[in-house]
Amino acid sequence: MGLFDFFKNKGKETPKGLTLEECIVKMFSSAGIVPNQEGNKFATVVEGKHCVFNVALTSMDGNRLLVYVPFPIPVDANVAFAANYEVKRISKCSTDRFPGTNIYLTEKDEGYKIAVATIKDFDMLSENTPNEIQETMIHTVDVVDDKNFASLAAAIFGYKSYDDVKMNMQAKSTGGNNVSIQLKDGYHELLDKTPDLSNSRYGGRLMAYAIHIINKNDNNEVAERANEALQNSFDSFVQVVYDIANEEERDLMRKLRFLTKAKNEDDTNEDDFERGKMEGLIICNGNPWDLLYEDGNTNDMDMLEEEKLYKRLCAPQYKERPYEQRDLGEGMILVNQVIGEYWKPRYLLDNEAKCAYEFMSIDEVLQIVTDEDIDWDSMKGLPQDAFDRAKAHSFHFPGHVYQYKNGVAEVRWQLNPDGMYYRDEDGFGMTDDEEVNLYGAIDRKGKVVKKFTLEK
């Protein structure tokens, strides 16, 4: 922490009969700190990376020291189950590093509070005991500081990372030099965007997602531990998977856990749970985030693939980064996605027919084009690289889908960019490449109705 400069009087013997309480006093005295003291209890503050922590030290019978550090952010009762996954993950990681230390979530008044506590036994007291007390105090704070502070804050507020938390903070002046900080709640914002399914239905989807993560990792040891944990409780099962999940997966798991409590009071409907699990296993084969937004009320087995895709793309997440929607006119929408830091056209939505079509794959390959849709004769004399990109149906370079007119939209397909494309921000790297474009036209289903040709 860099806060204390201890033990200027090293080498002096500890007087006989020294108590643990006196060792605590000596620690603070050596650091030039005057703590708040009430009997055998001491209170001070330690500055962390993101905030200042209140720290309490208690000298107990038998030369036992208790160091207690409350986490500064309270936990809303509705998100306690979700946030507790992160608390237990950190607790597991901290046990090996700091024996005797435990981080836990407890109910306080109308909400919950996270705290970390360390109990340390001293077999005998010595001149080094004040130093051990200082190390114990700092180790205890470390459990909820830095990266762990960031991940706990993200779990409490309903975001993937602390960077996302800060992005959603808004400072407003309340007069004079006073500023009020407001933060959007990532959990409760879901309630306006997700379908009104039962708690049990979302619980089943959470289990399906946990199974999906186990299968993706192909880890038999984790699968065995998860099955054993399931004999204890549903949350124990999820916790095993949560501990091996990445940051984005943990965020989705927490949000699903929030929804298993937030929708209504019934969370014991076994039929709904099983239904959520079965539909969740299917949803996970596509985009797992649809576990939040897919209503599941329509029998997808009776729907055409383009109807299923349209339904999925109508979810709120496809209107927010890394996606955006652009109006092409005549009830047609183009869904762009950020790929390699650039906006690329991914899907066409027909709001009149309630159907959607994949324009380009995530690998930047056109899904609307076949070799028969290209006028190869017009491409004679082109550089081989450009010709190869046409053969591969690659839409890697900047292209454009124009507005619909009478059910048809023109498309510019760039096979080779101008040399300026390769120039870096300092102006270097420009080549002598010439821009090469093909032009064609598609209908409302994305079907090519005018072959792509070198001449517009």
Side-chain angles (χ1 to χ4, degrees):
M1 295 290 174
L3 182 63
F4 302 108
D5 181 16
F6 287 93
F7 312 125
K8 298 177 182 177
N9 299 313
K10 283 194 173 184
K12 295 183 179 180
E13 294 184 359
T14 302
K16 293 182 179 179
L18 185 67
T19 66
L20 182 59
E21 184 176 322
E22 290 171 331
C23 288
I24 296 173
V25 171
K26 183 178 179 181
M27 178 199 72
F28 283 118
S29 177
S30 297
I33 297 173
V34 180
N36 293 322
Q37 180 179 0
E38 292 184 8
N40 65 335
K41 297 181 179 179
F42 301 80
T44 188
V45 294
V46 174
E47 185 175 353
K49 180 177 180 179
H50 301 287
C51 70
V52 172
F53 293 95
N54 294 316
V55 182
L57 292 82
T58 303
S59 170
M60 302 186 293
D61 293 338
N63 288 336
R64 302 183 78 199
L65 172 70
L66 169 64
V67 181
Y68 176 84
V69 182
F71 194 69
I73 304 175
V75 182
D76 187 272
N78 291 329
V79 306
F81 283 90
N84 201 34
Y85 287 145
E86 186 62 20
V87 172
K88 289 189 174 182
R89 185 187 74 85
I90 292 174
S91 181
K92 180 181 177 182
C93 294
S94 302
T95 299
D96 294 338
R97 294 180 59 203
F98 308 122
T101 299
N102 183 40
I103 179 173
Y104 52 89
L105 182 72
T106 56
E107 189 170 5
K108 294 290 184 180
D109 301 324
E110 296 182 357
Y112 286 75
K113 189 78 175 178
I114 297 171
V116 57
T118 299
I119 295 179
K120 183 174 177 62
D121 292 303
F122 293 89
D123 294 333
M124 59 182 297
L125 304 179
S126 69
E127 64 178 12
N128 194 48
T129 299
N131 188 45
E132 293 181 63
I133 294 172
Q134 176 248 347
E135 291 177 350
T136 301
M137 179 171 64
I138 292 178
H139 288 168
T140 306
V141 173
D142 281 345
V143 174
V144 286
D145 193 22
D146 202 3
K147 292 182 179 179
N148 288 345
F149 177 94
S151 67
L152 284 170
I156 291 170
F157 292 125
Y159 293 98
K160 182 181 74 172
S161 67
Y162 192 55
D163 287 338
D164 291 336
V165 173
K166 292 186 289 186
M167 285 177 59
N168 284 278
M169 287 182 178
Q170 295 181 342
K172 291 187 177 181
S173 174
T174 57
N177 295 323
N178 297 321
V179 175
S180 172
I181 302 296
Q182 295 181 336
L183 174 66
K184 294 180 181 179
D185 187 328
Y187 287 115
H188 289 85
E189 280 197 338
L190 287 174
L191 299 180
D192 296 327
K193 299 179 179 179
T194 54
D196 189 20
L197 306 183
S198 70
N199 294 348
S200 297
R201 189 93 161 268
Y202 277 113
R205 292 184 177 196
L206 176 54
M207 171 163 273
Y209 189 46
I211 293 172
H212 170 77
I213 293 174
I214 292 174
N215 293 336
K216 187 185 73 171
N217 282 271
D218 193 23
N219 189 319
N220 291 332
E221 189 270 334
V222 171
E224 291 176 3
R225 285 196 290 113
N227 286 331
E228 291 176 3
L230 188 58
Q231 306 306 313
N232 182 29
S233 69
F234 170 74
D235 278 317
S236 296
F237 167 81
V238 175
Q239 186 71 52
V240 171
V241 183
Y242 184 91
D243 290 343
I244 67 160
N246 61 37
E247 187 178 56
E248 182 173 353
E249 290 167 342
R250 294 197 297 266
D251 181 34
L252 178 53
M253 294 175 81
R254 292 193 298 263
K255 285 180 166 64
L256 286 167
R257 189 63 180 91
F258 165 76
L259 292 173
T260 65
K261 284 292 182 184
K263 287 295 180 178
N264 54 52
E265 296 181 357
D266 176 22
D267 59 359
T268 59
N269 189 314
E270 294 184 5
D271 290 338
D272 271 6
F273 184 90
E274 190 63 24
R275 181 180 178 185
K277 177 182 173 182
M278 296 307 296
E279 67 190 7
L281 291 172
I282 296 173
I283 291 171
C284 285
N285 290 327
N287 184 351
W289 283 87
D290 286 342
L291 292 166
L292 298 176
Y293 303 108
E294 170 63 58
D295 61 34
N297 291 326
T298 303
N299 187 352
D300 286 353
M301 297 296 292
D302 297 331
M303 296 177 66
L304 298 173
E305 288 302 316
E306 51 266 33
E307 293 175 326
K308 293 179 186 178
L309 181 58
Y310 178 85
K311 182 180 177 183
R312 192 181 79 176
L313 294 174
C314 285
Q317 70 181 104
Y318 290 100
K319 298 179 182 178
E320 301 173 355
R321 195 176 179 89
Y323 298 95
E324 68 170 8
Q325 296 192 6
R326 183 165 68 87
D327 188 355
L328 297 181
E330 298 186 354
M332 296 296 297
I333 299 292
L334 179 67
V335 178
N336 292 316
Q337 179 180 353
V338 176
I339 301 175
E341 301 182 359
Y342 294 95
W343 289 106
K344 299 294 181 69
R346 281 299 314 279
Y347 304 101
L348 289 169
L349 272 68
D350 186 337
N351 285 328
E352 293 183 3
K354 307 299 181 187
C355 292
Y357 310 89
E358 188 174 22
F359 180 87
M360 183 191 76
S361 72
I362 191 67
D363 299 319
E364 302 178 304
V365 176
L366 285 172
Q367 302 298 291
I368 61 166
V369 171
T370 67
D371 286 348
E372 288 72 29
D373 295 322
I374 301 171
D375 181 2
W376 298 104
D377 289 339
S378 72
M379 298 174 58
K380 292 179 180 179
L382 284 183
Q384 187 62 41
D385 285 348
F387 190 84
D388 290 343
R389 290 175 191 126
K391 289 290 292 183
H393 303 165
S394 172
F395 206 76
H396 174 71
F397 295 113
H400 193 76
V401 181
Y402 295 91
Q403 294 290 104
Y404 272 85
K405 296 180 180 179
N406 299 319
V408 174
E410 289 194 348
V411 177
R412 177 172 57 84
W413 175 7
Q414 189 170 108
L415 297 180
N416 199 67
D418 180 270
M420 294 280 288
Y421 176 86
Y422 298 103
R423 188 179 63 175
D424 62 23
E425 59 184 13
D426 295 320
F428 297 101
M430 181 176 173
T431 69
D432 59 0
D433 284 73
E434 294 185 3
E435 186 172 323
V436 176
N437 294 299
L438 297 182
Y439 294 90
I442 56 175
D443 64 12
R444 298 177 70 91
K445 295 182 179 181
K447 183 178 179 180
V448 176
V449 294
K450 177 184 176 183
K451 283 189 176 186
F452 282 90
T453 180
L454 191 62
E455 299 297 328
K456 187 174 178 180

